[in-house]
Amino acid sequence: MQTDSALETPKTVVASKAAHIDRATLLRAYRLMQTSAEMARIYEENKAVTAKYVHATARGHEAIQLAAAFQLRETDYCALYYRDDAFMLGLGLQPYELMLQLMAKRDDPFSGGRTYYSHPSLRRPGVPIIPHQSSATGMQAIPATGMAHGIKYLESINNEQLIINNSAEGPTAHQQEIINSSLSIINSTPVVLCSIGDGAMTEGEVAEALQMAALHQLPIIYLVQDNEWGISATGREMRSMNAYEFAAGFKGLHRLQCDGADFVDSYATMQAATDYVRQRRGPVLVHAKCPLLGHHTSGVRREWYRGDNLAKHQQDDPLPRFHQQLLTEGFSEGELGYARAAAEATVQEDYQRALAAPNPDPATFADHEFAPAAVTEEAGERAPQGADKAIMVDAALHAVDDILREFPESLFYGQDVGGELGGVFREAALLAKKYGDARVFNTPIQEAYIVGSTAGMSAVGAKPIVEIQFADYIWPALNQLVEELSKSCYLSMGKFPVQSLIRVPIGAYGGGGPYHSGSIESTLLTIRGIKVVYPSNAADMKGLMRAAFLDPNPVVMLEHKGLYWSKVAGTEDAKTVEPEAGYVIPLGKANVVQEAAADKLAQGDTCVVITYGMGVYWAKAASKQLPGQVEILDLRTLNPLDWDAVQAATRRHGKVLVLTEEPLMNSFAESLAGRIQRHCFQQLDAPVFTLGAANLPAIALNVELEKQMLPNADKTLAALQELLQW
């Protein structure tokens, strides 16, 4: 083992270390190492069957994976990657279970046949919790760090640090439950283990994760398995330094190195790493050199590119090395032979069982897109008697304040939301002072971490509210939003929905320019597995904010900057009487904010504007010139869409304008218009009209250019007049 301060030659110290590992553990490791090797052998021998779906095996990595797995408890968490089947054997999973995933069978315990081999997601007594992780290389580092971040926060919860209802009544039943859970976490000292390859360490998102782990001293181990290959690219092609050397740049990140092909050295190193994290609650990076003895994956075969390198790696095969060590430690050939035979028999039997196991029922293909919504009905007082009117930004602030006060597991973070400022729009003003820096805090300029960490937070029981400062800057977060958040519920068969509320100020507001004015909803709406909310007034903001927080799924809440203060001409109605604390509106319910006159409707002289956000106010202003002729349907939630309300409005009027602030071409608005025409064609008296921004790549800085590009009340009026003439 090699550490920051002491250097050792790994192979010269392993014999003495073996004496500190009990015989049962050594024998179990040998049997599982044989099991892993036999699984790789049988997969290769039957590749016509096993390579139907792509897979990778741990061959060459077995020693470090088993050594790591043996250190973990059921109260710990793992973020594993696609070569970690030996790791899972070490955690107690059976070859049969892994083979069910290999063959995409119905009873695959992780995903029910939905995702690749060695992509686990598991909640099972006696086994560390393994949240869903994607195949995207290096992406697991941020959610794993989010797990550790969530654990650190939950460990901090106690009666003194909580603000409980601002009363002397003490904690509610829910708050006491969270306090008790916090005490349990403190007593179990959980660690998070993030398994990753050395090639993935070059990903920028890995650096974001390491930065936050070191900055906040989080209880996490980054286990870097370095086999010097990234598919066909060698280490010398991909990096100027290995992971151990790279990690030296992160002050406060403890580093260890070991011979990952030697079980005894690996065990001692992983034991030291785990002890360090449990005792000091700070991060460790372990760099383990391993040979790659199998194919990169079943679809990228070693003979295509490895050449003499494979023979070199074979010299470090961990299995014969461990066999010889055990003989030196007093094990007999008979004992080892029996363990090997038992492993081979188990693998052969499990393989035949897996072959015969049933496939998934095709009728279940759509199950678990989302976890069931927590809020299904409007509740609470929307317009309390005597209440003052509030602007949207204050309604949002008060909603978050209510949530932080009521739910101790909640926290709020993003760029500039903590400290004195409380957000560039003052949307988090004074919350950090009120709830403390552990709950409301600033992050670095790391959109990927802000979003991706919520997957890990959610997995450990924390409930994050996060903010992207401007919609124009969300793009670095899309890797995490797509790969880690949106797919988790579906691919884990509902075991790991991601409870995440992502606030995003959006839209043009007069001279914001090309990087502070964009609309992004159509891009977000191509991501399945997330919900997208877009309130247009203060009351809806407060009710939808609470529903979005309580929803067990990822929710992106788009908040129009031009509506925050009702300063833009025509947006005065965005300021409403503020609902009481606890008011909630179910996601996916549109609202008729303006009805057409009954006599005009009876004459067939009306239309409906289907819109959201700023479009509500363009439609209101335009309709003043068409008294009684225009209904306005505010969608409020774009996914899930209130399709029933859309169809009902279309049937009432027969004439529809879909209005958006986005560039129109290929937008959500055009998609919705097409759907209306397809499904409501017989009820239409005119083509479905659409109106949006000009099809340009950015909003110009000059306000006159901006006005020319965007819809407005006059453009909306012209469209409505043309529509009504049909």
Side-chain angles (χ1 to χ4, degrees):
M1 178 173 61
Q2 181 175 309
T3 70
D4 299 82
S5 57
L7 300 179
E8 299 173 336
T9 304
K11 293 180 184 178
T12 64
V13 297
V14 294
S16 62
K17 291 177 182 174
H20 299 291
I21 307 174
D22 64 80
R23 287 178 61 86
T25 298
L26 291 169
L27 190 59
R28 180 180 175 226
Y30 182 78
R31 177 175 57 80
L32 292 178
M33 202 177 292
Q34 290 285 3
T35 301
S36 179
E38 179 64 13
M39 289 165 64
R41 189 197 67 78
I42 203 170
Y43 295 171
E44 180 65 12
E45 187 177 274
N46 296 276
K47 59 179 177 287
V49 174
T50 60
K52 179 179 180 180
Y53 305 111
V54 68
H55 69 271
T57 71
R59 196 68 188 90
H61 292 233
E62 302 96 331
I64 184 62
Q65 290 183 18
L66 292 171
F70 286 3
Q71 311 304 321
L72 300 182
R73 308 168 180 167
E74 67 176 333
T75 52
D76 295 329
Y77 293 81
C78 297
L80 304 182
Y81 88 129
Y82 54 77
R83 200 176 300 285
D84 284 344
D85 55 1
F87 200 119
M88 285 184 278
L89 294 175
L91 294 177
L93 282 95
Q94 299 304 306
Y96 174 66
E97 296 177 292
L98 303 184
M99 291 171 182
L100 289 173
Q101 190 176 46
L102 174 79
M103 301 178 196
K105 297 290 189 173
R106 181 193 69 191
D107 297 327
D108 155 29
F110 310 128
S111 73
R114 296 181 176 197
T115 197
Y116 299 118
Y117 180 72
S118 202
H119 285 59
S121 53
L122 192 67
R123 293 185 187 271
R124 177 183 292 176
V127 178
I129 294 173
I130 312 175
H132 163 267
Q133 301 291 321
S134 77
S135 280
T137 306
M139 296 305 98
Q140 70 269 39
I142 284 179
T145 307
M147 294 180 218
H149 208 154
I151 288 168
K152 176 142 188 174
Y153 169 66
L154 293 172
E155 285 178 330
S156 74
I157 294 176
N158 57 54
N159 281 303
E160 289 72 33
Q161 292 167 309
L162 278 179
I163 294 177
I164 301 170
N165 291 338
N166 291 326
S167 73
E169 297 176 3
T172 65
H174 173 74
Q175 290 167 338
Q176 189 60 56
E177 180 184 348
I178 299 301
I179 293 169
N180 294 341
S181 175
S182 171
L183 293 173
S184 176
I185 292 170
I186 292 170
N187 292 333
S188 64
T189 60
V191 304
V192 177
L193 189 142
C194 175
S195 176
I196 194 168
D198 195 72
M201 294 296 293
T202 61
E203 288 274 9
E205 293 186 17
V206 175
E208 292 190 21
L210 298 180
Q211 174 75 21
M212 291 298 281
L215 179 65
H216 290 277
Q217 286 297 289
L218 304 179
I220 186 169
I221 300 168
Y222 300 97
L223 171 57
V224 183
Q225 300 176 54
D226 182 2
N227 60 33
E228 298 181 344
W229 285 95
I231 307 185
S232 67
T234 63
R236 66 179 179 274
E237 294 176 272
M238 296 186 294
R239 64 194 189 218
S240 62
M241 66 193 82
N242 67 30
Y244 182 81
E245 295 161 335
F246 176 65
F250 295 91
K251 185 178 180 180
L253 176 60
H254 187 56
R255 299 177 300 147
L256 299 170
Q257 275 189 302
C258 69
D259 181 353
D262 189 293
F263 175 78
V264 177
D265 189 41
S266 295
Y267 189 94
T269 303
M270 293 309 303
Q271 188 175 58
T274 309
D275 288 347
Y276 180 95
V277 177
R278 292 202 199 281
Q279 294 166 16
R280 303 196 188 191
R281 311 308 284 152
V284 176
L285 182 139
V286 176
H287 178 238
K289 290 293 294 295
C290 308
L292 179 61
L293 302 182
H295 308 292
H296 169 73
T297 65
S298 56
V300 183
R301 303 184 65 77
R302 59 193 181 190
E303 59 267 20
W304 295 348
Y305 63 94
R306 292 289 296 280
D308 294 338
N309 177 267
L310 183 58
K312 179 183 176 182
H313 277 226
Q314 290 284 1
Q315 297 173 11
D316 287 325
D317 188 337
L319 190 49
R321 288 176 63 180
F322 193 37
H323 184 98
Q324 194 58 45
Q325 285 175 347
L326 293 184
L327 292 177
T328 302
E329 292 297 320
F331 287 86
S332 69
E333 286 284 8
E335 286 179 285
L336 301 183
Y338 180 82
R340 177 178 180 177
E344 291 175 349
T346 296
V347 171
Q348 291 285 349
E349 180 183 345
D350 284 3
Y351 178 73
Q352 295 302 321
R353 288 175 60 207
L355 278 176
N359 285 312
D361 179 356
T364 65
F365 81 101
D367 292 355
H368 305 293
E369 177 190 7
F370 290 114
V375 176
T376 58
E377 299 290 339
E378 185 173 5
E381 185 61 49
R382 181 179 176 93
Q385 189 172 4
D388 294 330
K389 283 192 172 184
I391 56 177
M392 278 184 67
V393 72
D394 285 348
L397 170 65
H398 299 160
V400 174
D401 191 1
D402 292 342
I403 288 166
L404 292 172
R405 182 174 62 250
E406 186 176 347
F407 299 95
E409 68 273 35
S410 64
L411 59 167
F412 181 42
Y413 55 95
Q415 295 164 26
D416 299 305
V417 303
E420 296 290 331
L421 182 62
V424 295
F425 300 105
R426 305 293 288 155
E427 71 282 6
L430 303 179
L431 291 180
K433 285 191 171 183
K434 188 172 184 179
Y435 294 100
D437 293 338
R439 293 190 76 185
V440 181
F441 57 89
N442 292 325
T443 66
I445 303 173
Q446 295 182 346
E447 287 84 3
Y449 186 85
I450 292 168
V451 170
S453 62
T454 67
M457 291 269 188
S458 177
V460 304
K463 295 181 180 178
I465 305 169
V466 300
E467 182 179 305
I468 300 296
Q469 199 164 82
F470 288 89
D472 307 78
Y473 300 134
I474 199 172
W475 310 119
L478 253 61
N479 254 349
Q480 293 291 329
L481 186 62
V482 173
E483 301 296 351
E484 308 303 334
L485 275 69
S486 74
K487 295 178 172 64
S488 184
C489 185
Y490 182 73
L491 292 181
S492 69
M493 297 290 282
K495 293 189 295 296
F496 290 98
V498 176
Q499 183 163 22
S500 171
L501 170 51
I502 303 164
R503 298 181 61 187
V504 184
I506 191 172
Y509 57 112
Y515 301 108
H516 299 82
S517 308
S519 292
I520 62 167
E521 57 265 32
S522 289
T523 299
L524 294 176
L525 290 165
T526 65
I527 304 169
R528 317 306 171 194
I530 68 170
K531 298 184 178 183
V532 180
V533 178
Y534 205 139
S536 68
N537 59 73
D540 285 353
M541 172 74 87
K542 193 165 188 180
L544 291 169
M545 182 80 76
R546 185 176 179 89
F549 171 78
L550 294 173
D551 201 283
N553 303 287
V555 181
V556 179
M557 190 156 187
L558 302 176
E559 305 173 15
H560 200 292
K561 302 184 293 292
L563 300 178
Y564 264 159
W565 299 282
S566 290
K567 289 182 178 179
V568 175
T571 64
E572 295 79 11
D573 287 350
K575 184 177 181 180
T576 70
V577 171
E578 182 170 359
E580 65 180 9
Y583 173 66
V584 66
I585 303 169
L587 305 186
K589 296 294 183 183
N591 184 37
V592 176
V593 297
Q594 177 175 293
E595 295 182 347
D599 59 329
K600 298 286 187 180
L601 184 62
Q603 295 167 11
D605 196 17
T606 62
C607 65
V608 61
V609 180
I610 299 175
T611 189
Y612 53 92
M614 188 63 80
V616 170
Y617 300 97
W618 293 327
K620 281 188 173 185
S623 66
K624 290 178 181 178
Q625 306 301 314
L626 303 166
Q629 291 184 273
V630 181
E631 176 181 314
I632 302 172
L633 181 67
D634 182 358
L635 293 175
R636 300 199 292 196
T637 303
L638 308 185
N639 187 37
L641 176 71
D642 192 346
W643 178 236
D644 288 344
V646 169
Q647 291 182 98
T650 301
R651 286 193 296 268
R652 275 195 298 275
H653 302 282
K655 296 177 182 178
V656 179
L657 168 65
V658 182
L659 175 60
T660 180
E661 185 173 325
E662 284 194 296
L664 196 57
M665 186 170 62
N666 301 324
S667 65
F668 163 71
E670 281 199 336
S671 172
L672 179 56
R675 192 189 312 184
I676 293 168
Q677 297 208 131
R678 166 66 179 85
H679 294 282
C680 305
F681 182 75
Q682 293 182 332
Q683 288 80 42
L684 290 171
D685 297 322
V688 177
F689 278 33
T690 55
L691 178 63
N695 296 314
L696 294 167
I699 304 295
L701 178 63
N702 180 275
V703 291
E704 296 304 319
L705 294 177
E706 177 186 298
K707 289 177 183 177
Q708 192 67 23
M709 297 169 67
L710 294 177
N712 57 32
D714 291 339
K715 294 176 185 179
T716 303
L717 175 60
L720 290 173
Q721 288 171 331
E722 182 182 355
L723 176 61
L724 287 166
Q725 287 173 4
W726 272 78

